[in-house]
Amino acid sequence: MRNITLSQAVNEAFAEEMRRDETVFIIGEDVAEAGTPFKILSGLVEEFGTERVIDTPIAEPGFMGLAVGAAMTGSRPVVDLMFGDFIFLIMDQLCNQAAKTHYMSGGKMNAPLVVRTNMGATRRSAAQHSQSLHALVAHIPGLKVAMPSSAYEAKGLLKSAIRDNNPVVIFEDKLMYNDKAEVPEEEYLIPFGEANVKRSGRDITLIGTSSMVQVCEAAAEILAKEGIEAEVIDPRTIVPLDEETLIASAKKTSRVIVVDEGHQSFGVTSEIASRINEKAFYHLDAPAMRMGAMDVPVPFSPALEDITVPTPEGVAEQARKLMSGEMIHAA
Amino acid sequence: MRNITLSQAVNEAFAEEMRRDETVFIIGEDVAEAGTPFKILSGLVEEFGTERVIDTPIAEPGFMGLAVGAAMTGSRPVVDLMFGDFIFLIMDQLCNQAAKTHYMSGGKMNAPLVVRTNMGATRRSAAQHSQSLHALVAHIPGLKVAMPSSAYEAKGLLKSAIRDNNPVVIFEDKLMYNDKAEVPEEEYLIPFGEANVKRSGRDITLIGTSSMVQVCEAAAEILAKEGIEAEVIDPRTIVPLDEETLIASAKKTSRVIVVDEGHQSFGVTSEIASRINEKAFYHLDAPAMRMGAMDVPVPFSPALEDITVPTPEGVAEQARKLMSGEMIHAA
Amino acid sequence: MAKTKTNTEDYLRMYKQMVRIRSFEDNANQLYLSAKMPGLTHMYSGEEAVAVGICEALTDDDRITSTHRGHGHCVAKGANFREMFCELLGKEEGYCRGKGGSMHIADQSHGNLGANAIVGGSMGIATGSALRAKLQGADDVTVCFFGDGATAQGLLYEVMNMAALWNLPVIYACENNGYSEYTKTEEIAAGSITARAEAFGIEAHQVDGQDVMAVNELTQKLVARARKGEGPFFMELMTYRYHGHHVGDINREYYRSKEEELDWKENRDPIIKFRGWLVEQGIASEGEIEVMNAEIKKDAEEAVEYALAAKYPAESEVDMHVFAD
Amino acid sequence: MAKTKTNTEDYLRMYKQMVRIRSFEDNANQLYLSAKMPGLTHMYSGEEAVAVGICEALTDDDRITSTHRGHGHCVAKGANFREMFCELLGKEEGYCRGKGGSMHIADQSHGNLGANAIVGGSMGIATGSALRAKLQGADDVTVCFFGDGATAQGLLYEVMNMAALWNLPVIYACENNGYSEYTKTEEIAAGSITARAEAFGIEAHQVDGQDVMAVNELTQKLVARARKGEGPFFMELMTYRYHGHHVGDINREYYRSKEEELDWKENRDPIIKFRGWLVEQGIASEGEIEVMNAEIKKDAEEAVEYALAAKYPAESEVDMHVFAD
Ligand SMILES: Cc1ncc(C[n+]2csc(CCOP(=O)(O)OP(=O)(O)O)c2C)c(N)n1
Ligand SMILES: Cc1ncc(C[n+]2csc(CCOP(=O)(O)OP(=O)(O)O)c2C)c(N)n1
Ligand SMILES: [Mg+2]
Ligand SMILES: [Mg+2]
């Protein structure tokens, strides 16, 4: 099978969906001729024109609001939010409006739109261009949240997001845009709420989101050399969350680490760990452990930034502790 | 000791702090002559004038931004955000600016401000005026989050918030404004990060925030009649969180329920339960359980709204399950 | 009064719609005062000529977005009393199955995209609806209702900028009733509201919001032009709310005088003014008008009774409609 | 060129400050191109007369807020090369101990409240600083720098409204360099930028941002008036950025032509223009100017060397400064 970059995969997903459905359009800053600063949308405006690949002024609340209105009346807008950090600017339109439209109208209206944005530190972009804020939107009922871990997932999840009848927020890791993966030529979709068991193992379960899947896989490699067989699972969407697969794995291995690049406290790892603790408690040999990013704004200095996020070595180290029963003394 | 309402307690806290420190001012919609729609600030403009109790246009992002700038240059603004649901509008100024100023400047600047807002459903105010969104701000490093559970706490925590050198968000439950509690005449502060053991018990720990403390206390009463001795703890601030007290109690009782009025998923209960599971796992007879509000937008209809939030009966029921070991079969 | 191109039937419908709004609000207020209505609500009484003058210039395909003070828009855009009262009481047969209530009442079938409890919250939605119309080559127009207080929200300027750049078929209708909550407009709005729209290159008009024909005539012209791609437009409608900010705002002398209220009610009431004109022009007799009024009153009262007796949604509905299929 | 009330010393300082900015940026660009600088940065070259003309009208007590394109503001407000380069390289001796970097560089000591990576993000901060001045009876003025692109953010209109209502001592300085990222201003700004401020009752001026004396003269007048409570004011400064949107934006012909760039660089360069005037007026000889230029060049290079050799912060700093004591 051919290998393409995550960036190409996203581009293909758009091209296919926009050909399939005339009501799909993209709206955001510098999405047309510039094809975004990351050049991900290059070529789309040439095929679909400036009416369907719409450059906006720098007005995130405004164009998010436009997307809600367009979605409520028959379009399927995809909002391109240049940096995930700008989600703070669109929270009202996303969470007070889009997320609640279907419910508040008693099921009579809905807002089928996608917010496509990014996450991920270690790019030396400092505190306002490096955040991973998916936990915030996951907390709001009515929003779905997808977190692709490779080019393959990025394409399949984006296509599903565009077809979904609800507001979906999709977070791409901006460090992965050039990462390649096998992506079939033929069309495919990845359904929401179906976790992917990336590697199977019997000793410990490593659950990772987005680029942390790769971190977990690398940790599993390290552990394998030491005779520890780690199972690696990618939930792919955190809302809806495939609890079943995660819990089955936890019951099997009896040890779990959840790895995510959002801040650890009040974050995604807490939710997943809680569900596992609640539903697999008596099968666990140790508490489901969380490894999120440090609870600090992302520092600019390379000397500091790299230590704020989980690494394969860190995950492996934590796994060893769980395996050795060291937690018993800690807890 | 005298009994005063939560609303009076907040009013007193302001009066005392504004007398003590000239740099403190209040800014928000209809805070002056109207004294807020809840009439909480009545009388303050008469004493402190319209220069320190400032009525704004309806521009939440704008006046939040003003507060950040004023705080960075020597004032201590308190932002009055009429409904907690409007926090979505101020997220950028609060989370990208205020929360990060101290860190991004390497400790050279800071933004000592308070956002005073509310939370709480069952007031028939529907989906955009009933949310409890404290989990969102708790996730952002650099913000402190206080959740008073009575008039006594409301006064002491607000006074501490105003004196704190960091941005603090304080969530009052709007259903508690007329609730009375003993509040000393003499001045007092409640330090952040010190949980309050409201009732001691050996069988199970009930951790509640804000009005859920009362729910836990009521549940404890029910349970007491059945011979179950519940310990009730109010963390008072969720950032910083007094982990020590919570974990000590969990180790003692070996069973924990965390009750909070925010949506359950990706919420405050997940964080607290995770910390307890991580640090008291081997002392627990059952998983630390979460009881948040349902993961639905708050419905208007009274027939639906009341079933979205935790109740004393519900908490007691869950406690009974934990006590009877019923969880073993579930998990 | 300004001249309009409407005929007798149109005039009478405009009159009836204004009276229907007033009746609806009188009943809603009573429901509140007699503690039969859950929560609070914001009365539209006094502003009827705005909603009716505008909505009578629209078709069912045209969309509107409404506000926290939204009953008037809802009635004017064609909604039924029964479903409206059911919604206000949280009943299953309400427009939103009781899930929305007064502040989120919407009526899809007539193009009402809904009230909004976030002041300014629907400005993006209205402009987005207009963007959809343009992209899909539809010729419907969207009217965005909002108050003078809402002009302080930055969102308005963001969306007006885009509407102007892209010539979107949207009409911004600012209902300037002189107050936002308990504060006078001049204390919260610097400069000129119409000049703000003009600065974005948007043609703006100020109009007497108590004169239903003036409102209707201007709207007809602007809607026709917006359909041809000459939009967006901005209207500032000078009007007044008779009640408090919400039904519970009873003692309001600290922010506005009884004399002021009385002056508007007696000398500038949109229904009295229009009724006078109808009689004067021989379009309807006093007797005919009384018959219409009585019928509407009866309709409203019947709808209230119906709604009071109607069922609440089943508890199992609580987690329905979080996600669409 | 417009006349200013400044004397010889002031003129020479203005000249030097402009050259210092240009030198700083040339070195920063080099650091990026030679992969010695972490991340990206936005060059101010071409816009020097704006920052210098404005900041030379301010005292150290006056505040500014800056943008993602903030090195020029920082230098103009009085910052040192060493601490600036250290910050750009993430070193401990940087103005923010390496934690902020180019997009968050701030210099408290000279009243620079900091660059901001959120376009428009500092408009509230600047206005709030002015509110603080008014409340505390201080006579300092705050200047809010932002780009033409930032005028699309609604926050601007929210804070201008409040500044106008309350007569705050703030000056909104819109650096209109014709582009926001890869888009021409006319594609993203409807109507007139100055008219927008005027609609809020704010006196607005458009000025040639390549003429340091024109900028300075206007600013001096407005600052003096703002100190007396006659503010706020709005300035639109017509200028141009020589480099790409950021240092990595090399191939930019798809959005602007080489000819256009050349025209600005050759015919409207603020440094060349001002240098010519200084010589013409006999304020400095060509030789004296070359000496100044050389000194500044040396300073900048030394500072770069210093910063390259400087220490990174210790790892233990990573969780310091999340909260203030
Ligand atoms: C974002 C937001 N801020 C504040 C409020 C509280 N609030 C509800 S109505 C209102 C006044 C609105 O005034 P205006 O826009 O003039 O409308 P009117 O009530 O006069 O019809 C306020 C402040 C709100 N609902 N939403
Ligand atoms: C809220 C926000 N949206 C988008 C961006 C990405 N961005 C950075 S600079 C820029 C263009 C700014 O243009 P302008 O205000 O004219 O300033 P200039 O770069 O021309 O100096 C954009 C869109 C951002 N940093 N913040
Ligand atoms: Mg009003
Ligand atoms: Mg620009």
Side-chain angles (χ1 to χ4, degrees), chain B residues 25 51 55 57 59 61-63 65-66 69-70 73-75 93 96-97 102-104 106-109 142 144 165-166, chain D residues 95-97 99-100 104 108 113 116 118 121 124-125 127-128 132 135-136 155 158 162 166 318 320-321 323-325:
Chain B
F25 68 87
E51 292 242 315
D55 269 351
F63 62 76
L66 262 62
T73 56
S75 288
Q93 291 297 315
N96 272 334
Q97 310 296 342
H102 191 61
Y103 193 85
M104 292 192 309
K108 295 197 184 136
M109 297 195 289
K144 296 187 180 179
N165 286 326
N166 298 281
Chain D
Y95 272 115
C96 309
R97 300 190 71 78
K99 280 182 168 156
H104 303 292
Q108 262 273 68
L113 300 178
N116 210 305
I118 301 298
I125 295 173
T127 312
R132 178 265 322 149
L135 295 182
Q136 302 193 349
L155 185 62
E158 299 191 3
M162 288 185 268
W166 305 333
V318 71
M320 276 169 61
H321 308 132
F323 291 108
D325 294 330

Side-chain angles (χ1 to χ4, degrees), chain D residues 1 15 18 22 210 242 264-278:
Chain D
M1 291 238 172
Y15 176 77
M18 289 204 288
R22 185 72 56 91
Q210 306 309 87
Y242 288 171
W264 280 83
K265 285 184 192 168
E266 291 185 347
N267 304 318
R268 303 186 61 178
D269 184 76
I271 298 179
I272 297 178
K273 272 176 80 172
F274 193 49
R275 174 186 173 139
W277 185 83
L278 290 175

